[in-house]
Amino acid sequence: MNIKIRLTTENDFDDIIEVEKRAFGEDSVAELTAELLNDKSAEPYISLLAFENDKAVGHILFTKCSINNIENCPLMHILAPLAVISEYQKQGIGGLLIKKGLELLQKINSEIVFVLGHIEYYPKHGFIPNAERLGYPAPYPIPAKVADAWMVQPLTSKGLGNFGQVICAKAMDVAEHWRE
Ligand SMILES: CC(C)(COP(=O)(O)OP(=O)(O)OC[C@H]1O[C@@H](n2cnc3c(N)ncnc32)[C@H](O)[C@@H]1OP(=O)(O)O)[C@@H](O)C(=O)NCCC(=O)NCCS
């Protein structure tokens, strides 16, 4: 497969929404994605599409977050959502999108990235399970039995720091988006 990954532009909106709908098999994540792409509090965000030839087959979004009560909080991001359309899953495209996204986050000096997601998947890409135990409670409480699904990864040699409650972009700041 010949997969190319690039930053999205306004012209890619329809492709992004289509990929989100097809990957998740319903519309709610696509709707959240549309809101996040228009949410000033999510900026600077990193939005990437993966293409096979000219066909959009995967999308990843990292939106800005911060830590409550920390003045001049360094740049931090939340990975959500990650989507690969079903016919193209399990071929490494999700992994490529994560890798490219982490590289671009480092380029814009983002220091920490969080994700709420599959516990078997994200640790393969450097995420550490149970970010709350490490000092970063999620924007909404994560039930103890799935605490490992809230994960963190430092992006600089400084490692983790600036501990505290994570505050997400406004569009994501709704309890229903925090049920793993
Ligand atoms: C979760 C999701 C994004 C993963 O994307 P993906 O492109 O399938 O992910 P990858 O191919 O990088 O990795 C998935 C699996 O394929 C395997 N894989 C990677 N490259 C492969 C290759 N060339 N050949 C065969 N298998 C491969 C990986 O090892 C992994 O398998 P494992 O977890 O059993 O070890 C995708 O399944 C998806 O969109 N799901 C629906 C939406 C969703 O749940 N999003 C995530 C919310 S947290």
Side-chain angles (χ1 to χ4, degrees):
M1 265 203 308
N2 178 22
I3 300 295
K4 293 220 168 69
I5 294 179
R6 63 157 173 79
L7 286 164
T8 63
T9 70
E10 282 176 14
N11 297 335
D12 295 315
F13 184 79
D14 290 349
D15 275 346
I16 294 171
I17 297 306
E18 179 70 13
V19 167
E20 294 293 344
K21 285 184 178 172
R22 289 184 61 185
F24 283 90
E26 46 91 29
D27 291 357
S28 68
V29 179
E31 284 160 12
L32 170 63
T33 305
E35 285 178 37
L36 283 167
L37 291 171
N38 284 301
D39 180 348
K40 288 280 169 215
S41 72
E43 296 178 4
Y45 61 70
I46 299 277
S47 169
L48 299 172
L49 269 175
F51 293 87
E52 196 212 13
N53 300 318
D54 284 340
K55 182 181 163 72
V57 297
H59 178 245
I60 194 167
L61 182 62
F62 299 86
T63 52
K64 195 182 91 156
C65 66
S66 59
I67 302 293
N68 196 18
N69 292 330
I70 291 196
E71 267 180 55
N72 303 317
C73 185
L75 196 53
M76 300 180 183
H77 285 82
I78 294 177
L79 189 180
L82 170 60
V84 175
I85 63 178
S86 50
E87 312 91 278
Y88 287 84
Q89 290 175 5
K90 294 202 179 285
Q91 297 174 57
I93 297 170
L96 288 174
L97 282 164
I98 295 172
K99 185 164 178 285
K100 183 72 179 169
L102 298 181
E103 282 170 21
L104 292 176
L105 287 177
Q106 285 173 322
K107 280 202 176 144
I108 63 166
N109 297 319
S110 183
E111 297 196 0
I112 297 181
V113 58
F114 299 91
V115 69
L116 177 66
H118 304 313
I119 182 61
E120 335 73 54
Y121 186 64
Y122 291 100
K124 290 177 191 163
H125 299 286
F127 286 87
I128 310 164
N130 203 335
E132 173 154 6
R133 178 178 44 88
L134 296 169
Y136 301 105
Y140 288 82
I142 306 296
K145 64 179 191 314
V146 289
D148 280 351
W150 173 236
M151 297 177 239
V152 62
Q153 172 165 188
L155 295 169
T156 73
S157 55
K158 288 190 289 188
L160 298 176
N162 292 297
F163 299 105
Q165 171 81 50
V166 177
I167 308 291
C168 59
K170 280 195 192 113
M172 208 187 274
D173 196 5
V174 181
E176 67 181 74
H177 296 318
W178 292 91
R179 296 191 191 117
E180 169 48 18

